Amino acid sequence: RIVRRLIVVALVAALAASAALAGLALAASSPTKPATVKTRHVSLGTIVVDGKSHTLYLFEKDKNGKSKCSGACAQNWPPLLTKGKPKASGSVKASKLGTTKRSDGTTQVTYGGHPLYTFVLDHNKPGSTKGEGVDAFGAEWYVVGTNGKKIEKEGS
Protein backbone atom coordinates (compact mmCIF):
# COMPACT_ATOMS: atom_id res chain seq x y z
CA ARG A 1 0.00 0.00 0.00
CA ILE A 2 2.83 2.42 0.91
CA VAL A 3 4.80 1.53 -2.23
CA ARG A 4 1.68 2.05 -4.39
CA ARG A 5 1.09 5.44 -2.79
CA LEU A 6 4.72 6.49 -3.36
CA ILE A 7 4.54 5.44 -7.01
CA VAL A 8 1.32 7.40 -7.57
CA VAL A 9 2.74 10.48 -5.79
CA ALA A 10 5.88 10.27 -7.96
CA LEU A 11 3.76 9.97 -11.11
CA VAL A 12 1.62 12.95 -10.08
CA ALA A 13 4.76 15.00 -9.41
CA ALA A 14 6.23 13.99 -12.78
CA LEU A 15 2.99 14.91 -14.57
CA ALA A 16 2.87 18.29 -12.84
CA ALA A 17 6.52 19.01 -13.66
CA SER A 18 6.21 17.98 -17.31
CA ALA A 19 3.04 20.05 -17.72
CA ALA A 20 4.71 23.08 -16.17
CA LEU A 21 7.85 22.69 -18.26
CA ALA A 22 5.90 22.30 -21.48
CA GLY A 23 3.68 25.22 -20.56
CA LEU A 24 0.67 23.09 -21.29
CA ALA A 25 -2.81 24.25 -20.42
CA LEU A 26 -4.23 20.94 -19.28
CA ALA A 27 -7.15 22.49 -17.43
CA ALA A 28 -10.56 21.12 -18.29
CA SER A 29 -12.12 22.82 -21.25
CA SER A 30 -15.19 24.95 -20.72
CA PRO A 31 -18.35 22.84 -20.81
CA THR A 32 -21.12 23.61 -23.27
CA LYS A 33 -23.92 21.79 -21.43
CA PRO A 34 -24.94 20.62 -17.96
CA ALA A 35 -22.74 17.88 -16.51
CA THR A 36 -24.33 14.51 -15.75
CA VAL A 37 -23.49 12.64 -12.55
CA LYS A 38 -24.45 8.98 -12.33
CA THR A 39 -23.41 5.79 -10.55
CA ARG A 40 -21.26 2.80 -11.38
CA HIS A 41 -20.52 -0.37 -9.45
CA VAL A 42 -16.78 -1.09 -8.93
CA SER A 43 -14.74 -3.15 -6.46
CA LEU A 44 -15.09 -0.34 -3.87
CA GLY A 45 -18.91 -0.48 -4.14
CA THR A 46 -21.35 1.85 -5.89
CA ILE A 47 -19.60 5.10 -6.69
CA VAL A 48 -20.39 8.44 -8.29
CA VAL A 49 -19.10 8.94 -11.85
CA ASP A 50 -19.39 11.57 -14.58
CA GLY A 51 -21.45 11.23 -17.76
CA LYS A 52 -18.64 9.19 -19.38
CA SER A 53 -18.43 6.83 -16.35
CA HIS A 54 -15.15 8.33 -15.12
CA THR A 55 -14.67 8.01 -11.36
CA LEU A 56 -15.28 11.15 -9.33
CA TYR A 57 -13.17 12.09 -6.31
CA LEU A 58 -13.31 14.48 -3.38
CA PHE A 59 -10.28 16.35 -2.00
CA GLU A 60 -10.03 16.50 1.79
CA LYS A 61 -8.38 19.93 1.63
CA ASP A 62 -11.58 21.48 0.19
CA LYS A 63 -13.58 23.32 2.84
CA ASN A 64 -17.15 24.65 2.92
CA GLY A 65 -17.85 23.48 -0.62
CA LYS A 66 -14.97 25.51 -2.07
CA SER A 67 -12.16 24.00 -4.16
CA LYS A 68 -8.59 24.29 -2.90
CA CYS A 69 -7.25 22.62 -6.07
CA SER A 70 -5.92 24.83 -8.88
CA GLY A 71 -2.84 25.04 -11.10
CA ALA A 72 -0.83 21.80 -11.15
CA CYS A 73 -3.39 20.24 -8.81
CA ALA A 74 -6.25 20.86 -11.28
CA GLN A 75 -4.07 19.60 -14.15
CA ASN A 76 -3.75 16.24 -12.37
CA TRP A 77 -7.22 16.25 -10.81
CA PRO A 78 -9.42 18.00 -13.41
CA PRO A 79 -12.54 19.51 -11.81
CA LEU A 80 -15.93 18.34 -13.09
CA LEU A 81 -17.24 21.52 -14.69
CA THR A 82 -20.78 22.29 -15.80
CA LYS A 83 -22.74 24.85 -17.73
CA GLY A 84 -26.03 25.18 -15.89
CA LYS A 85 -27.50 22.91 -13.25
CA PRO A 86 -25.91 19.43 -13.20
CA LYS A 87 -28.16 16.43 -13.92
CA ALA A 88 -28.57 13.35 -11.73
CA SER A 89 -28.84 9.89 -13.26
CA GLY A 90 -28.99 6.37 -11.84
CA SER A 91 -29.14 6.30 -8.05
CA VAL A 92 -27.49 9.72 -7.70
CA LYS A 93 -29.54 11.90 -5.35
CA ALA A 94 -30.41 15.14 -7.17
CA SER A 95 -30.76 16.86 -3.77
CA LYS A 96 -27.04 16.27 -3.11
CA LEU A 97 -25.94 17.83 -6.44
CA GLY A 98 -24.85 21.45 -6.47
CA THR A 99 -22.23 23.80 -7.85
CA THR A 100 -19.47 26.09 -6.65
CA LYS A 101 -17.62 28.90 -8.39
CA ARG A 102 -13.90 28.26 -8.91
CA SER A 103 -11.21 30.92 -8.61
CA ASP A 104 -11.01 31.06 -12.44
CA GLY A 105 -14.74 31.80 -12.70
CA THR A 106 -15.79 28.35 -13.97
CA THR A 107 -18.58 26.38 -12.31
CA GLN A 108 -17.66 23.09 -10.64
CA VAL A 109 -20.12 20.34 -9.74
CA THR A 110 -20.45 19.37 -6.07
CA TYR A 111 -22.03 16.29 -4.50
CA GLY A 112 -22.85 16.19 -0.81
CA GLY A 113 -21.11 19.58 -0.58
CA HIS A 114 -17.82 18.24 -2.00
CA PRO A 115 -16.37 19.67 -5.24
CA LEU A 116 -15.88 16.77 -7.69
CA TYR A 117 -12.77 15.85 -9.71
CA THR A 118 -11.53 13.16 -12.09
CA PHE A 119 -7.92 11.86 -12.03
CA VAL A 120 -5.51 11.88 -15.00
CA LEU A 121 -3.93 8.53 -14.03
CA ASP A 122 -7.33 6.86 -14.47
CA HIS A 123 -6.58 7.54 -18.17
CA ASN A 124 -10.29 8.16 -18.90
CA LYS A 125 -10.89 4.45 -18.27
CA PRO A 126 -14.42 3.93 -16.90
CA GLY A 127 -14.33 2.34 -13.46
CA SER A 128 -10.63 2.99 -12.81
CA THR A 129 -9.99 4.18 -9.22
CA LYS A 130 -6.22 4.79 -9.19
CA GLY A 131 -6.73 8.03 -7.22
CA GLU A 132 -8.32 6.30 -4.21
CA GLY A 133 -6.46 7.20 -1.00
CA VAL A 134 -3.72 9.16 -2.80
CA ASP A 135 -2.08 11.87 -0.69
CA ALA A 136 -1.22 14.72 -3.09
CA PHE A 137 -1.33 18.53 -3.11
CA GLY A 138 -1.69 18.74 0.65
CA ALA A 139 -4.41 16.21 1.45
CA GLU A 140 -5.92 12.85 0.54
CA TRP A 141 -8.25 12.07 -2.37
CA TYR A 142 -11.15 9.63 -2.15
CA VAL A 143 -13.74 8.10 -4.43
CA VAL A 144 -17.24 9.48 -3.69
CA GLY A 145 -20.09 7.17 -2.68
CA THR A 146 -23.77 7.69 -3.47
CA ASN A 147 -24.24 9.07 0.06
CA GLY A 148 -21.90 11.97 -0.83
CA LYS A 149 -19.15 10.77 1.50
CA LYS A 150 -15.69 9.37 0.83
CA ILE A 151 -15.22 5.66 0.33
CA GLU A 152 -12.21 4.25 2.14
CA LYS A 153 -10.63 1.02 0.99
CA GLU A 154 -10.51 -1.72 3.61
CA GLY A 155 -7.24 -1.49 5.53
CA SER A 156 -6.75 2.23 4.85
Side-chain angles (χ1 to χ4, degrees):
R1 169 127 171 90
I2 291 172
V3 170
R4 178 185 167 278
R5 183 174 285 191
L6 289 173
I7 290 169
V8 171
V9 169
L11 286 171
V12 168
L15 281 169
S18 66
L21 287 173
L24 298 175
L26 296 179
S29 59
S30 294
T32 58
K33 61 184 181 179
T36 298
V37 178
K38 57 187 187 175
T39 55
R40 180 180 181 98
H41 191 76
V42 298
S43 61
L44 294 169
T46 303
I47 65 169
V48 180
V49 297
D50 70 9
K52 295 178 181 171
S53 295
H54 303 139
T55 301
L56 293 171
Y57 297 88
L58 63 79
F59 185 36
E60 290 204 311
K61 192 173 181 181
D62 291 346
K63 297 290 179 228
N64 301 318
K66 293 289 182 194
S67 174
K68 299 287 186 192
C69 178
S70 60
C73 178
Q75 291 171 0
N76 290 283
W77 300 88
L80 178 61
L81 302 177
T82 189
K83 181 173 183 168
K85 185 178 177 183
K87 296 180 179 179
S89 181
S91 56
V92 165
K93 296 170 181 69
S95 62
K96 290 192 178 292
L97 274 178
T99 61
T100 186
K101 281 284 185 217
R102 294 182 53 76
S103 58
D104 64 5
T106 58
T107 302
Q108 185 172 2
V109 178
T110 62
Y111 191 71
H114 300 285
L116 299 175
Y117 307 85
T118 57
F119 183 44
V120 295
L121 293 183
D122 282 340
H123 300 291
N124 290 325
K125 182 181 171 200
S128 178
T129 59
K130 287 184 171 45
E132 171 67 13
V134 170
D135 188 352
F137 299 100
E140 289 188 337
W141 296 84
Y142 291 98
V143 172
V144 181
T146 57
N147 62 358
K149 298 185 185 324
K150 70 181 179 182
I151 293 177
E152 288 190 86
K153 227 187 258 185
E154 293 298 318
S156 289

